[in-house]
Structure formats: C-alpha cells, structure tokens
Amino acid sequence: MTRDASPPPTRPVLATLPAYRAGRLPEPVPGLTAYKISSNENPYPPLPGVLAAVHAAAERMNRYPDMANTALRTALSNYLGVPMEMIACGTGSVAVLGHIIDAMCDAGDEVIYAWRSFEAYPIAIALAGAFSVQVPLTPDHRHDLHAMAASITETTKVILVCTPNNPTGTIVTDTELREFLAVVPPRVLVVIDEAYLEFGTDPEAPDALAILRDHPNVVVLRTFSKAYGLAGLRVGYAVAHPDIAEALRMTATPFGVNLVAQEAAIASLAARDDLQVRVKELVAERDRVEAALAEQGWVLPPSQANFVWFPLGEQTPAFAAACEEQALTVRPYASDGVRATIGESAACERLLEITAAWRARAATEEVEPAAAVPGP
C-alpha cells in the first residue's frame, strides 16, 4: 500500500483543451440502412492495385519502415515536380500540422487562424504552449484575410489558412492569398492547408505550389485521407522550403508513417488516374446535392470540398438529432452549423429527404432553416 494512491499531476493545459470530436457511427434504426456522413471519408473501397500493395507490405510488417519515407517522398517529388528535400511526411496532415507548430512556436507565441475552421488547430497550438488567435469568418463563411493580417503582432509565428475551409467548404482565391502574403512579414510562416484540394473546381482557387515558389515563408499541407481514400492508414505531407521541411522531419515521431501506409500512398499516386475518376463522381454528386438543396430553398455557402455546410445556428443540435432519427449521422458544430459529407448516393438521398422535411416544417413554423449567404 502506497502512502499516496494518486498519480502524478498532468500538465494544466490538458484541462483547457477543446475536445476533438470524431464523426459518430449511426445508431441502428429498424428498417433503415445506417449511413455515416460525419467524417468526410471517401465512400469508395480501395482500388485493387492499392489493396495489393497493402497486402504485400503487410508481409514485411516485422520490419521497421523507412524513417525518412524515401520512396514516398521520391514519388511525391516526381508527382509534384519539387525536390524531395522540400517534402516532409507524417501520420496524416493533422500530425504534420503538429510538427509545424512544434518547429515554429515557443511558449507564448501566437498562431492566427480563421474560426470556425479545422478543430485540431486549437489543440495543436495549446499543446505547444502557444496561443490561438481566432479571427471570425466573414458573413459568407469565408476567411477574413484583412482581419487576419491586422491581427499579426510581434509574437505571431504561424498563420493557418484552410482552403477549402473545413467545415464551411469555402476557398480563398489565388489573388486574395497573394495579396495577403504581400503584407505578411517574411518571419511569419503561412500554412496553406489543402486537405480537400482535389475536390475543388473553382478556377480562382490558389495554385499553392506556385505561391510557395514565390514565398519561402509558405508551407503547403496535404493528405492522402480524403480524395485518396487512405483515412484509415494516416498519411499526410507538407511541401516547404528545404530548411522548413528539414525542421518538420526533425520534430516528427520516428518511424511515424508505417510501412503499409507508405506503400499504399505510393500505389495511390500511381493509380491517380483511376482515383481521379472517383473524385469526379463525388464532385458531380456534390453538385447534384447542392442543386437539390437550393431547389428546396436552402441558401448555403458553395462547397469546394466533399461536404456541404448548413449554417443552422441554434438549430444545429435539433437538425443533427433529426438526421440521427433516420439512421444518418452528420457532424454538428456547437451552435454554428452542421457539416454533411458527400458519401454514397443512398446516403445523400437520405439527407435530401431529411432536409426537405426540415424545410417544410420550418416553413410551417416560420423558422428560417439556414442562415442566408449575402451576395458579394
């Protein structure tokens, strides 16, 4: 029997961390097929070539993976047209985000980002002992780059720009981003988070790699989880100035990207033509869903990602509950809104049935179903 049965205290910051809430699995409802559209997952199964690479790699799982991710970085280098010295990998882009914050921020430094945006941002920042500076989105659910520039102080080390933005689906344009970078001090690192890049069709979207060539204080952050359908294997990467990329590799967990994940990512790059067919199908389904929602009377921000955003405000929990009653889980965000992934066609049809009923009820009760998006 010990004198004190209590364990040692953990860091006080843990008590203040916001919880990362993963998309929930739907509860079974008799007579209904359940669908999860709460995590922005790719609904397609792995391509045969990718699955074969996974099986082959699994036979070598008794060995450590290449800690430097050499083969994967080489494949990315060839695909992106950048030197492999500019590439750093990690266990999903969220892990690489943490490496960026760790490499750039000391205790008390500031990180600026839009809000609402990716909910892992404040967690990674707080764990590094840095401070979050959250800049509200504009009324049309876009980054307010002017306000973000005005928020820069002497202690600002990093600015995060999520485009397309999770969870609103909106983008910053190439022109807007270049104008923003023209006023950001070169000592401040600007991270262009492009987790949903492949689903975008807007010609005004940023050419992030071209911007990086002009601005050594830019990092481009991407993932294999969404369009490539490797969410369960966790592979992300950053493209940056070689000095920054080296710093990210230094802060990464040794052997973090496992052997199977590396081989699957390489095979996915080789199969990108087949994967692009699937992406186009998801984009077409997104466009169909957005058109149907507009016909129902919803006014939503245009999405350039694989999800749609319902800015429902205080009605958010009720809408999420209405979906769950129909064996469909969406992703509610407090009293801000609901994000719904474009998944299987049957899941999208279920969503449209629910939104139609919600719209009809709202009209009867004279309740506005979603915040209007102002014009430009």
Side-chain angles (χ1 to χ4, degrees):
M1 177 70 66
T2 61
R3 290 179 295 174
D4 186 353
S6 299
T10 57
R11 293 172 62 198
V13 69
L14 298 184
T16 67
L17 283 182
Y20 186 95
R21 302 187 183 279
R24 295 176 53 249
L25 292 169
E27 295 292 334
V29 175
L32 291 175
T33 300
Y35 296 105
K36 176 190 176 190
I37 58 170
S38 54
S39 295
N40 295 343
E41 295 159 325
N42 190 320
Y44 294 106
L47 287 169
V50 176
L51 202 55
V54 167
H55 287 161
E59 295 179 356
R60 297 181 283 122
M61 69 172 65
N62 58 306
R63 302 297 184 183
Y64 282 108
D66 173 16
M67 192 173 80
N69 309 296
T70 305
L72 175 55
R73 289 168 58 218
T74 299
L76 284 167
S77 172
N78 294 333
Y79 172 55
L80 301 172
V82 301
M84 66 177 295
E85 291 77 17
M86 295 181 65
I87 299 170
C89 300
T91 52
S93 61
V94 66
V96 184
L97 166 70
H99 305 159
I100 292 169
I101 302 301
D102 289 342
M104 299 301 299
C105 294
D106 287 315
D109 288 334
E110 293 180 343
V111 180
I112 297 171
Y113 54 96
W115 197 252
R116 179 172 289 273
S117 193
F118 185 32
E119 61 186 323
Y121 292 164
I123 299 172
I125 294 163
L127 286 173
F131 291 110
S132 287
V133 178
Q134 296 181 346
V135 178
L137 296 170
T138 62
D140 55 349
H141 312 286
R142 301 180 68 239
H143 281 60
D144 189 340
L145 293 178
H146 293 291
M148 292 173 72
S151 300
I152 298 172
T153 69
E154 290 299 318
T155 57
T156 301
K157 290 294 183 67
V158 178
I159 300 175
L160 307 174
V161 179
C162 187
T163 179
N165 185 47
N166 177 16
T168 63
T170 54
I171 63 163
V172 301
T173 68
D174 192 275
T175 299
E176 289 170 337
L177 196 49
R178 288 182 179 275
E179 291 175 348
F180 176 66
L181 285 163
V183 300
V184 173
R187 63 174 179 80
V188 176
L189 191 72
V190 177
V191 180
I192 306 175
D193 187 346
E194 294 190 311
Y196 300 93
L197 166 75
E198 292 84 359
F199 301 104
T201 57
D202 192 327
E204 296 186 359
D207 184 342
L209 294 180
I211 291 173
L212 168 59
R213 286 193 291 270
D214 296 334
H215 298 274
N217 65 325
V218 162
V219 172
V220 179
L221 187 60
R222 294 180 178 174
T223 184
F224 283 90
S225 293
K226 309 304 181 186
Y228 289 93
L230 301 184
L233 288 179
R234 315 305 302 128
V235 190
Y237 64 95
V239 187
H241 184 281
D243 292 348
I244 298 295
E246 174 62 20
L248 302 187
R249 293 191 291 270
M250 291 173 64
T251 56
T253 302
F255 305 106
V257 185
N258 71 63
L259 184 152
V260 174
Q262 291 187 44
E263 294 297 333
I266 293 168
S268 294
L269 287 173
R272 56 184 173 270
D273 290 342
D274 292 332
L275 286 165
Q276 188 59 33
V277 171
R278 294 180 167 188
V279 169
K280 288 181 178 178
E281 291 175 354
L282 287 171
V283 169
E285 182 70 358
R286 179 195 71 200
D287 293 346
R288 183 187 76 84
V289 169
E290 287 189 311
L293 289 168
E295 188 174 342
Q296 291 177 5
W298 293 84
V299 184
L300 308 180
S303 176
Q304 288 292 297
N306 67 334
F307 54 83
V308 291
W309 172 249
F310 296 87
L312 284 156
E314 297 297 331
Q315 300 172 63
T316 294
F319 182 85
C323 290
E324 194 156 347
E325 289 172 0
Q326 297 299 313
L328 187 74
T329 51
V330 292
R331 179 65 174 84
Y333 289 82
S335 59
D336 291 338
V338 166
R339 189 193 69 197
T341 305
I342 301 300
E344 302 89 337
S345 293
C348 292
E349 283 303 312
R350 180 82 51 80
L351 175 67
L352 291 173
E353 292 170 2
I354 295 167
T355 56
W358 183 273
R359 176 75 189 183
R361 182 188 65 79
T364 301
E365 299 176 2
E366 297 184 352
V367 175
E368 182 62 30
V373 179

